[in-house]
């Protein structure tokens, strides 16, 4: 059983490596874009791969809404096994709510409807569902009557996917990860997967942690129409339906978000994709036999796709060369995100331990204290949010990686200490600036976490 992709070169796979190198340059230079990892497949082989230090190939990355595509695969497998009927009503899977859910549109909503984000609601319902029932998102969702007939309008809607995850758990009798382990993860050679949970189970719409290669394998499975190493995992008609427009969404602002929506996949100007907040991508280009998996911390996700279309597409089926392959390999081997630049911490005049109080409590709510202290031959920072401390060793002129963080610090020209903390299981970067003269600090997120506080910004350890 093949569990690892064969490695090749771009030119051997009909790709001009200069185009891939231009894509990397664009990702590194475009405002609002920060790449963390990239795997490019063609004909089922790796044409190029690289990770930006301190991110690494073997570290799972929070996928945010790209998790939806994994949840959808669980639905497709359960349908193939006869555990559920896509044309069944959602309410039929929650008999305990049958007497409460009386709105006709809520009662006629089907699994196909919520797979396609076509529940009939005109807008996101997560906050409203939680307001109705803080402990049961499905109940809150089903008690919120749709604005239109199910199947007629698109609205990106987290409870649709949350509900699908709960249905799979109910029909399988276990967690999503337990259900998918022998049916998807093991056959594809996927070892490291964890999923953030609430009191019910995996979030479904978010919270999956997986490596960049895992993203690529999911894309390759769909590119191969549901077959892996000669074994069918997803029905071909499921793959066809999941990767074509089920409901139109022309009102979406960005061009690659207005091409239609399938079953937890977006259609795009080229091919289709799953994606997640801050630049987690699984791009599949069937006409070119290509899969591109990317992780990152990008505020401008449209710019990422624009760069792919501008630089990668022209490189496909273009003349390559061994020299270009070698230059790209060198570039891929030296990728990195710059550590904090400045003087060493010893020049700040700090005692062996220096405590700093927050200057602005609204910037990062709950982050009240920062402690800088000597740690052997180096320094460490302890950040305390809502009473929960997180200790991170600090690199100087480099990143020091420890557990779920990578941190770097330096003294700026004005004497203040700038600390960068990357929560490397996630996209997120926290900036902390300490003022030794005032004994205070300020903090800001480069990208704000959607679910977590600093002490939970890591892959779950119990999944």
């Amino acid at each position: 059983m093949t569990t690892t992709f064969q490695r090749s070169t771009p030119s051997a796979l009909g790709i001009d490596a200069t185009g891939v190198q231009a894509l990397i340059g664009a990702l590194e230079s475009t405002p609002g874009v920060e790449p963390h990892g990239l795997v490019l497949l063609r004909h089922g082989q790796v044409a190029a791969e690289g990770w930006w230090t301190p991110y690494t190939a073997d570290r799972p990355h929070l996928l945010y809404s790209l998790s939806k595509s994994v949840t959808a695969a669980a639905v497709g497998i359960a349908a193939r096994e006869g555990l559920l009927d896509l044309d069944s009503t959602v309410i039929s899977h929650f008999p305990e709510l049958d007497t409460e859910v009386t709105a006709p549109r809520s009662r006629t909503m089907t699994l196909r409807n919520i797979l396609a984000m076509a529940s009939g609601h005109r807008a996101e319902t997560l906050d409203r569902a939680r307001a109705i029932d803080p402990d049961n998102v499905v109940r809150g969702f089903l008690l919120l009557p749709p604005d239109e007939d199910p199947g007629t309008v698109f609205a990106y809607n987290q409870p649709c996917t949350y509900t699908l995850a709960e249905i799979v758990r109910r029909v399988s009798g276990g967690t999503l990860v337990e259900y998918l382990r022998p049916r998807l993860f093991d056959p594809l050679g996927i070892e490291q997967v964890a999923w953030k949970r609430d009191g019910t189970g995996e979030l479904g719409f978010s919270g999956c942690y997986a490596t960049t290669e895992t993203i690529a394998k999911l894309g390759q499975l769909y590119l191969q129409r549901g077959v892996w190493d000669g074994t069918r995992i997803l029905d071909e008609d499921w793959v066809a339906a999941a990767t074509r427009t089920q409901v139109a969404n022309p009102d979406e602002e960005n061009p690659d978000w207005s091409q239609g929506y399938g079953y937890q996949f977006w259609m795009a100007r080229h091919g289709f994709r799953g994606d997640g907040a801050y630049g987690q991508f699984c791009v599949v280009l069937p006409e070119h036999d290509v899969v591109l998996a990317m992780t990152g911390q990008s505020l401008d996700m449209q710019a990422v796709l624009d760069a792919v279309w501008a630089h990668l597409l022209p490189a496909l089926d273009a003349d390559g060369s061994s020299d270009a392959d070698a230059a790209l390999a060198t570039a891929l081997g030296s990728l990195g995100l710059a550590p904090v630049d400045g003087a060493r911490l010893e020049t700040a005049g700090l005692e062996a331990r220096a405590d700093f109080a927050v200057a602005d409590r609204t910037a990062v709510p709950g982050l009240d204290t920062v402690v800088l202290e000597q740690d052997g031959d180096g320094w460490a920072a302890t950040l305390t949010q809502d009473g929960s401390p997180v200790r991170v060793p600090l690199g100087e002129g480099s990143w020091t990686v420890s557990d779920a963080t990578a941190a770097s610090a330096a003294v700026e020209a004005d004497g203040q200490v700038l600390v960068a903390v990357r929560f490397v299981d996630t996209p997120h970067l926290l900036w902390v600036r300490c003022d030794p003269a005032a004994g205070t600090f300020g903090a800001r997120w480069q990208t704000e976490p959607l679910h977590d506080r600093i002490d939970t910004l890591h892959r779950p350890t119990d999944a």
Side-chain angles (χ1 to χ4, degrees):
M1 181 183 298
T2 301
T3 57
T4 302
F5 293 119
Q6 292 184 4
R7 269 61 185 173
S8 186
T9 62
S11 61
L13 297 172
I15 302 173
D16 180 1
T18 60
V20 181
Q21 194 157 354
L23 170 60
I24 290 169
L27 296 176
E28 292 181 326
S29 61
T30 300
V33 173
E34 179 185 277
H36 292 168
L38 176 150
V39 173
L40 174 63
L41 305 179
R42 193 168 204 203
H43 309 320
Q45 299 181 55
V46 175
E49 59 185 337
W51 289 264
W52 282 256
T53 305
Y55 297 88
T56 58
D58 61 350
R59 181 177 288 274
H61 199 281
L62 174 58
L63 304 186
Y64 277 122
S65 282
L66 182 50
S67 308
K68 292 179 173 69
S69 300
V70 183
T71 299
V75 175
I77 293 169
R80 174 174 168 78
E81 291 186 338
L83 295 179
L84 52 80
D85 178 356
L86 300 183
D87 294 313
S88 63
T89 61
V90 174
I91 188 61
S92 69
H93 294 274
F94 301 93
E96 73 278 15
L97 301 177
D98 188 67
T99 58
E100 283 189 276
V101 178
T102 58
R105 285 171 173 162
S106 295
R107 295 188 64 84
T108 60
M109 189 191 308
T110 68
L111 271 60
R112 288 191 192 276
N113 296 149
I114 60 175
L115 276 165
M117 295 292 185
S119 64
H121 298 93
R122 295 196 195 102
E124 172 67 65
T125 65
L126 183 59
D127 289 344
R128 289 178 286 163
R130 284 176 170 164
I132 293 171
D133 191 331
D135 300 318
N136 188 335
V137 172
V138 174
R139 179 173 177 271
F141 173 54
L142 291 177
L143 288 175
L144 191 64
D147 307 292
E148 307 289 347
D149 289 340
T152 62
V153 295
F154 171 85
Y156 199 64
N157 195 356
Q158 314 300 332
C160 287
T161 321
Y162 185 99
T163 301
L164 291 168
E166 175 58 13
I167 290 171
V168 172
R169 285 192 293 267
R170 289 193 172 204
V171 300
S172 68
T175 70
L176 278 182
V177 172
E178 289 169 346
Y179 181 66
L180 288 174
R181 171 56 58 197
R183 295 165 175 84
L184 178 69
F185 300 147
D186 287 346
L188 271 61
I190 295 169
E191 297 179 357
Q192 297 190 73
V193 175
W195 214 311
K196 185 176 179 63
R197 302 176 183 179
D198 64 6
T200 301
E202 298 99 335
L203 295 181
F205 63 82
S206 187
C208 184
Y209 290 73
T211 65
T212 324
E213 184 173 83
T214 292
I215 299 170
K217 287 179 174 179
L218 180 66
Q220 188 67 27
L221 175 66
Y222 274 82
L223 181 61
Q224 294 171 179
R225 315 303 286 178
V227 173
W228 192 271
D229 280 348
T231 299
R232 180 160 293 284
I233 294 173
L234 292 166
D235 284 337
E236 188 166 7
D237 61 352
W238 161 270
V239 174
T243 59
R244 68 170 181 259
T245 297
Q246 295 292 330
V247 60
N249 59 352
D251 296 331
E252 294 292 310
E253 180 179 357
N254 292 321
D256 281 300
W257 275 260
S258 60
Q259 307 297 316
Y261 197 79
Y263 290 164
Q264 311 290 294
F265 280 99
W266 296 89
M267 305 306 104
R269 287 178 289 173
H270 306 277
F272 61 90
R273 72 182 189 284
D275 66 39
Y278 304 126
Q280 323 319 312
F281 284 103
C282 178
V283 179
V284 182
L285 304 175
E287 64 273 31
H288 298 290
D289 202 16
V290 162
V291 174
L292 176 63
M294 293 180 287
T295 56
Q297 180 185 221
S298 299
L299 288 166
D300 191 346
M301 291 175 63
Q302 182 61 64
V304 176
L305 293 177
D306 289 344
V308 173
W309 310 149
H311 301 292
L312 179 60
L313 283 182
L316 302 177
D317 299 316
D319 292 334
S321 69
S322 57
D323 288 345
D325 291 344
L328 175 61
T330 299
L332 290 169
S334 59
L335 299 174
L337 301 173
V340 178
D341 185 34
R344 296 188 65 81
L345 295 190
E346 63 192 29
T347 67
L350 298 172
E351 301 292 335
R353 173 188 168 112
D355 293 71
F356 298 86
V358 64
D360 179 3
R361 293 184 180 276
T362 65
V364 180
L367 182 58
D368 295 326
T369 63
V370 170
V371 176
L372 299 181
E373 57 188 329
Q374 290 181 347
D375 182 18
D377 295 332
W379 290 80
T382 300
L383 317 175
T384 300
Q385 184 180 35
D386 298 326
S388 297
V390 173
R391 181 181 174 87
V392 294
L394 301 175
E396 298 188 70
S398 63
W399 297 102
T400 294
V401 179
S402 177
D403 297 326
T405 64
S408 177
V411 180
E412 299 187 296
D414 61 3
Q416 297 195 36
V417 178
L418 180 61
V419 178
V421 181
R422 292 186 178 276
F423 296 84
V424 286
D425 290 346
T426 81
H428 301 296
L429 165 62
L430 179 66
W431 295 100
V432 178
R433 180 173 277 104
C434 299
D435 185 341
T440 60
F441 76 91
R444 68 175 179 88
W445 288 107
Q446 185 77 19
T447 52
E448 187 169 358
L450 302 184
H451 310 308
D452 294 279
R453 314 298 269 179
I454 62 172
D455 64 323
T456 60
L457 272 171
H458 55 78
R459 74 190 99 163
T461 56
D462 60 346

